[in-house]
Amino acid sequence: MVNGVTLRRSPEGDLPVVVQVSGEAALFSRPELKVERVSYPVMTPSAAVGVLESIFWKPEMRYRVVAIEVLKPVRQFSIRRNETSDVAPLAEALKGSRRVDTAAHRDQRNAVCLRDVAYRIHAHVEVAAHADKPVAAYRDQLRRRVRKGACFQQPYLGTREFSAEFGWPDDTPRADVNEEIGIMLHSIHRDGQSAQPRMEWFAARVVAGVLSVPERGIELALPVEGQVV
Amino acid sequence: MLLQRLVEFADTSTEIIPPFYSRKAVRWSLEIDANGVPQGGLVDTANKDDPNSRFGAPRLVPAVTRTVGISPALAVDTGEYVFGWLSEGVKPERVAKQYTAFRALIAEWAAAEPDSHGPAVAAFYRDGHADRVSPPADWGRGDLVGFWVDGVYAADAVAAQRFWAGVAGDRKGSGRSGLCLVCGRVQPLLHTMPQQIPRRWVPGATQSASLVSMNEATHGYELQKFLTHTPICADCGLKFMTALTALLSDPRHSTSLSGQNARLAWWVLGGSTIDPWAAVEQLDPSHIQRLVAGPASGAEASLDEVSRYCSVTVGGNVARVVVRDWVELPISRVKDNIRAWFDDHRIVDAWTGEVATIRVSQLARVAGRFEVGRNGGAGTWTKFGASGEHRPPDLFHRLLSAALLRRPLPPKLLNHVINRIRIDGRLDPARAALIRLALRRHPTLPEHERERLTPTLNVAHKQPAYVAGRIFAVMDDLQRTVFRVADQKLNTTFAERYFGRAIDNPQVVIVSGRRNVQAWLKRLRGPLRRPGWSDAYERRLDDLFVQLDVIPSAAVLTDKAQFILGYHQQRAEMRTERVAAAANKKKTDLPPEPDDVAPTADDEGDDA
């Protein structure tokens, strides 16, 4: 139990590592409203993994988020931006022969974002089969980097525009958030067997300011035999 | 959870809409018998006098979103599809394809459902009756034409609904099944949204709009268009689009103010019968009574906890619905918020002397420009959306959010309203209510000051600007009395002349007004022979001046608001005193109110 929250232990019996992040704004787009974007009210596990990987990542390890504590009440704001609907084909992009023409393909899109957010992320570090160090070594390396404030790239909260501050967890109390959020992305897997990535989802619920993330999600779109995928 | 809540609302709706159907005006009806023989000609169902059937009788008809492709609907469609009629500017070869596609669909229907009305309609075409129907003189390209077979509307029959669900499902489905993101069940998934919301319900949209739309590569995950990575089943897709259309088009569930850049729809799930809209906008006395008495009676407390208030604010962006705001709250919290809203904005009416609550739309209206009537006629508020209304564009929604969700008021609102009062020279109960509301919810005002801001005059409130406002009101009243007693016409009153300046700097106006006061008192005492009234005014002014250590000069924003509030409440207090005295309920030393200034029905207040 950490801060009054019962957390799933790792297979080795360890408690998760904790990183606290905050920012002036955040945008965790819901998959059904991702064009005229509407944010989930709290951070998603995939966004939390993005933050942790910005701080420390190696091919021998990956993060599995256990829980996210919500430290500030949910407040929203709305912005509209000019974006582009133009995409340069990969081959042309690699050659550098074509640039994205934003002015000719302007696409104005609205976003309902979150204002003034802070979260405590609890996550386990898992090591791959080819890892040459014990899991504790990677965990400690992450902790050292968090203490120093070191990162490979500045972490962000959902979208690159909203960069995040991160640091060692403190005893900030959780916000009184209790909400059914609906289906939320758990993780994305690319096992190479299909052109499409495999997505896992879970029914998200914040209870007393804690979003508990199950060990595994469910796959939403299950191809049925004989149907076009 | 927006989509889930919309689906829940659709499930609780009493009206059952078949899959891939929507309500549209069907202008022309053609009656045929079971053998496909027409029973008379086309019947025009449009009724110009009835707004609901101006373009034809509204009916549930098969409908899915059509873009550029040829895509006939079953048994009800436009003249181009049903009869191949040509109108000006259309391509004949395209219309021929539309007509062929419609007939082919009818033939499929007749073959698939031999016991339905399909064979009769197919016979109508096979026997060449369709070629003998000519377009009416006032036929329009968008008019829908529907078939009646032996007195039954062909598209209404269960067999037609069944067949159409299959056809439309194939057109809009993705061809795969999977777990739906909304309902969490394994269902056939959609490729695109089958229905759209008409443009008129989505401010800013330039065509019918869809709530979930990913029709560009950049919109989808990994540059995948359509609903590839957003699994939504046909059942849920139809339900939430139907529910949102129904909510946006229902005046009991959505806002209908013109000129605002968004439309707000709300609904209640879970069994509670409260109508928040009726409480804050229609000011239904029974609703307010129930609301206020609710905590004391304890009735429905558990129901309030499980019931949810949902509201969504939408705008449009070409063919996409933009969700500007989405809120879901327990009804108990909404009720608390509404009670706080009434507490914060209730204000005394200077004419009736009663404490009034103001509609949200009226509060938004009075934040705009007031145009004085010509030749002494009643003035008007500039309409919403009109040129030069000088009203924050989304004020109504911001105020509604403040009322129902206890959100902060727009930061500039107080300054804006004070400026409008200065420029228009008009202060009425609604504007005074806005001032009190903005003050009570001002982030920097100390709590003890907030509590002193009562709806009626608070003689214990000694804030200098507030007292200065009261002094200004007494001075203005004195001047009016002097001129009335002397039977002199007053072209411009003291308040009309100096109110704007006094808001900014009470000291300048009150110090110079004090000199005028002496002259007015002297006239009242001497030539006008009203020493009692003179003493009464002098006593009032002395009582007020003694509360001031120094008359405020450079007023900050909250001081300006306090001044206006003090002025309004003091005027209301004096009028209430006179009304009560006239009814012999209370003694007063104030002169009576003249009879000729009784307010008209449209005039809610008077000009400062």
Side-chain angles (χ1 to χ4, degrees):
Chain A
M1 183 175 282
V2 177
N3 296 344
V5 185
T6 307
L7 297 171
R8 193 175 62 243
R9 288 180 179 259
S10 71
E12 297 83 21
D14 297 322
L15 281 169
V17 287
V18 191
V19 177
Q20 193 158 314
V21 292
S22 61
E24 291 179 4
L27 173 57
F28 310 111
S29 302
R30 300 191 76 109
E32 66 270 30
L33 298 168
K34 67 189 294 302
V35 181
E36 303 289 346
R37 302 182 188 93
V38 176
S39 176
Y40 281 112
V42 298
M43 184 182 231
T44 59
S46 45
V49 168
V51 168
L52 296 176
E53 287 183 346
S54 298
I55 300 169
F56 177 60
W57 180 80
K58 277 187 177 298
E60 294 84 10
M61 62 174 283
R62 70 185 196 95
Y63 293 100
R64 193 182 280 274
V65 177
V66 176
I68 297 170
E69 290 181 72
V70 185
L71 307 181
K72 289 193 175 170
V74 179
R75 292 163 62 204
Q76 295 179 340
F77 73 99
S78 178
I79 53 167
R80 251 183 148 175
R81 289 175 294 181
N82 285 333
E83 301 181 23
T84 183
S85 61
D86 187 24
V87 188
L90 183 61
E92 291 182 23
L94 288 173
K95 280 190 289 183
S97 59
R98 183 162 93 78
R99 297 175 70 89
V100 172
D101 187 358
T102 306
H105 301 89
R106 191 155 284 158
D107 190 19
Q108 195 171 56
R109 289 160 72 178
N110 189 73
V112 177
C113 312
L114 305 177
R115 184 193 296 281
D116 193 19
V117 296
Y119 305 100
R120 253 194 308 264
I121 302 167
H122 302 260
H124 286 305
V125 175
E126 291 185 350
V127 290
H130 63 279
D132 52 359
K133 290 179 193 163
V135 65
Y138 297 101
R139 248 189 338 246
D140 289 346
Q141 203 164 347
L142 171 71
R143 287 183 179 130
R144 282 197 298 273
R145 290 181 70 83
V146 171
R147 276 196 190 278
K148 281 197 297 184
C151 57
F152 296 148
Q153 58 182 6
Q154 187 65 35
Y156 55 88
L157 297 167
T159 52
R160 296 256 180 194
E161 294 90 328
F162 302 138
S163 59
E165 302 291 321
F166 67 93
W168 199 248
D170 59 22
D171 54 357
T172 309
R174 288 187 291 277
D176 182 24
V177 179
N178 291 281
E179 205 168 333
E180 294 272 354
I181 295 173
I183 308 279
M184 184 182 265
L185 183 66
H186 181 279
S187 50
I188 299 175
H189 304 276
R190 295 166 197 280
D191 48 18
Q193 292 171 5
S194 156
Q196 298 285 343
R198 199 165 55 76
M199 294 182 179
E200 288 184 21
W201 306 75
F202 72 111
R205 174 194 285 178
V206 183
V207 180
V210 181
L211 172 72
S212 298
V213 183
E215 197 164 356
R216 288 289 308 269
I218 47 170
E219 288 182 44
L220 271 188
L222 301 170
V224 175
E225 200 174 334
Q227 289 185 322
V228 182
V229 178
Chain B
M1 292 298 277
L2 166 64
L3 302 189
Q4 282 92 335
R5 296 293 173 252
L6 283 170
V7 169
E8 282 178 39
F9 176 76
D11 288 338
T12 58
S13 172
T14 50
E15 185 185 46
I16 296 167
I17 298 179
F20 302 105
Y21 273 63
S22 68
R23 190 170 293 282
K24 289 185 176 180
V26 181
R27 179 157 182 197
W28 306 99
S29 289
L30 182 66
E31 174 89 35
I32 59 174
D33 65 12
N35 299 317
V37 180
Q39 310 290 302
L42 283 170
V43 177
D44 187 355
T45 61
N47 181 2
K48 301 289 182 208
D49 299 328
D50 180 6
N52 291 327
S53 55
R54 190 178 297 161
F55 305 107
R59 301 197 66 88
L60 285 172
V61 297
V64 290
T65 304
R66 272 201 293 233
T67 50
V68 290
I70 290 168
S71 171
L74 186 69
V76 186
D77 215 318
T78 62
E80 291 172 0
Y81 274 96
V82 179
F83 295 113
W85 291 338
L86 292 170
S87 53
E88 204 173 319
V90 299
K91 294 177 182 169
E93 58 274 21
R94 179 179 166 83
V95 174
K97 283 181 188 169
Q98 289 174 320
Y99 183 43
T100 307
F102 186 82
R103 289 183 59 167
L105 186 63
I106 294 291
E108 277 180 45
W109 178 31
E113 301 273 359
D115 297 331
S116 69
H117 299 114
V121 183
F124 169 78
Y125 283 105
R126 189 185 58 236
D127 299 341
H129 297 299
D131 303 332
R132 290 192 281 278
V133 181
S134 50
D138 53 347
W139 166 72
R141 199 182 158 202
D143 291 349
L144 293 182
V145 186
F147 286 96
W148 290 72
V149 180
D150 278 346
V152 177
Y153 198 68
D156 276 352
V158 175
Q161 293 176 4
R162 190 168 50 225
F163 178 74
W164 175 246
V167 171
D170 288 346
R171 276 186 207 164
K172 293 293 172 185
S174 63
R176 58 182 182 148
S177 292
L179 221 53
C180 169
L181 193 67
V182 182
C183 64
R185 291 178 295 161
V186 176
Q187 298 274 17
L189 300 176
L190 285 170
H191 181 60
T192 57
M193 277 295 122
Q195 289 178 356
Q196 290 184 317
I197 300 170
R199 188 179 68 174
R200 63 182 177 280
W201 303 125
V202 192
T206 51
Q207 57 201 73
S208 295
S210 181
L211 181 58
V212 181
S213 166
M214 288 160 211
N215 51 7
E216 297 279 358
T218 46
H219 294 169
Y221 182 73
E222 289 207 323
L223 302 178
Q224 295 291 312
K225 286 208 265 186
F226 309 117
L227 302 180
T228 312
H229 287 128
T230 309
I232 294 175
C233 71
D235 192 34
C236 290
L238 287 165
K239 278 181 178 170
F240 66 67
M241 288 303 285
T242 308
L244 188 56
T245 309
L247 287 164
L248 290 172
S249 58
D250 187 344
R252 294 167 303 166
H253 284 281
S254 64
T255 59
S256 54
L257 285 185
S258 63
Q260 298 283 294
N261 63 0
R263 196 169 178 86
L264 183 142
W266 69 91
W267 62 102
V268 174
L269 297 169
S272 173
T273 54
I274 186 185
D275 183 349
W277 179 252
V280 299
E281 177 56 18
Q282 295 167 345
L283 300 181
D284 185 329
S286 62
H287 272 97
I288 297 174
Q289 174 64 26
R290 272 209 302 275
L291 199 71
V292 174
S297 69
E300 295 188 348
S302 55
L303 194 60
D304 284 352
E305 284 303 320
V306 295
S307 298
R308 315 285 292 176
Y309 165 83
C310 305
S311 85
V312 60
T313 308
V314 297
N317 181 8
V318 190
R320 295 200 295 259
V321 173
V322 177
V323 176
R324 291 180 190 276
D325 195 16
W326 156 245
V327 171
E328 188 183 340
L329 273 185
I331 283 294
S332 55
R333 291 242 322 256
V334 174
K335 283 186 172 178
D336 288 344
N337 294 346
I338 297 175
R339 286 186 202 104
W341 171 256
F342 286 142
D343 285 346
D344 286 348
H345 91 265
R346 279 184 309 141
I347 194 78
V348 62
D349 186 326
W351 282 111
T352 62
E354 291 173 4
V355 174
T357 48
I358 315 285
R359 294 193 309 274
V360 176
S361 61
Q362 182 63 10
L363 291 176
R365 186 173 286 115
V366 301
R369 184 188 299 274
F370 181 77
E371 290 162 21
V372 180
R374 289 184 181 171
N375 301 324
T380 52
W381 299 102
T382 308
K383 287 181 180 163
F384 282 97
S387 166
E389 63 170 331
H390 196 227
R391 199 177 271 129
D394 57 347
L395 182 62
F396 178 65
H397 293 117
R398 299 284 294 269
L399 286 175
L400 202 58
S401 300
L404 299 181
L405 313 174
R406 217 169 184 171
R407 286 190 176 164
L409 293 173
K412 290 180 184 170
L413 178 66
L414 186 56
N415 188 36
H416 176 90
V417 176
I418 290 172
N419 267 337
R420 285 280 15 132
I421 292 171
R422 287 173 62 242
I423 297 164
D424 298 340
R426 181 179 169 89
L427 176 65
D428 63 3
R431 277 188 166 174
L434 262 182
I435 296 283
R436 177 166 178 256
L437 176 71
L439 268 180
R440 292 259 301 181
R441 298 198 171 187
H442 200 275
T444 63
L445 203 69
E447 187 61 35
H448 64 274
E449 284 233 359
R450 203 164 294 172
E451 285 169 5
R452 286 183 186 143
L453 298 167
T454 51
T456 54
L457 185 71
N458 181 6
V459 291
H461 186 28
K462 305 287 173 60
Q463 205 272 344
Y466 184 78
V467 177
R470 293 180 59 191
I471 292 173
F472 188 77
V474 176
M475 285 180 171
D476 180 57
D477 195 78
L478 168 62
Q479 188 212 27
R480 287 172 191 254
T481 302
V482 169
F483 278 74
R484 192 169 64 244
V485 174
D487 203 18
Q488 285 178 317
K489 191 164 181 264
L490 192 54
N491 288 328
T492 307
T493 66
F494 181 68
E496 282 168 349
R497 181 167 302 222
Y498 295 116
F499 191 55
R501 202 180 302 169
I503 290 172
D504 285 339
N505 188 345
Q507 192 181 58
V508 171
V509 174
I510 287 178
V511 167
S512 69
R514 185 70 188 171
R515 284 195 285 273
N516 290 336
V517 162
Q518 290 308 330
W520 293 331
L521 290 173
K522 196 174 170 187
R523 279 187 76 190
L524 209 54
R525 222 171 25 240
L528 298 175
R529 297 180 184 173
R530 299 286 197 279
W533 293 355
S534 173
D535 291 347
Y537 277 113
E538 197 160 14
R539 198 163 44 245
R540 274 181 166 71
L541 285 169
D542 287 346
D543 287 348
L544 290 168
F545 271 110
V546 83
Q547 295 177 26
L548 286 178
D549 292 334
V550 59
I551 304 171
S553 54
V556 297
L557 191 62
T558 49
D559 286 347
K560 292 179 185 180
Q562 296 266 17
F563 179 88
I564 294 170
L565 202 61
Y567 170 74
H568 175 79
Q569 292 183 340
Q570 179 66 42
R571 281 199 324 163
E573 178 69 14
M574 288 192 290
R575 178 160 174 87
T576 310
E577 212 175 308
R578 288 179 170 125
V579 170
N584 288 327
K585 288 179 188 164
K586 193 177 168 188
K587 285 187 178 176
T588 180
D589 49 6
L590 282 172
E593 193 81 12
D595 297 334
D596 58 347
V597 291
T600 60
D602 330 328
D603 197 354
E604 294 166 88
D606 56 348
D607 300 343

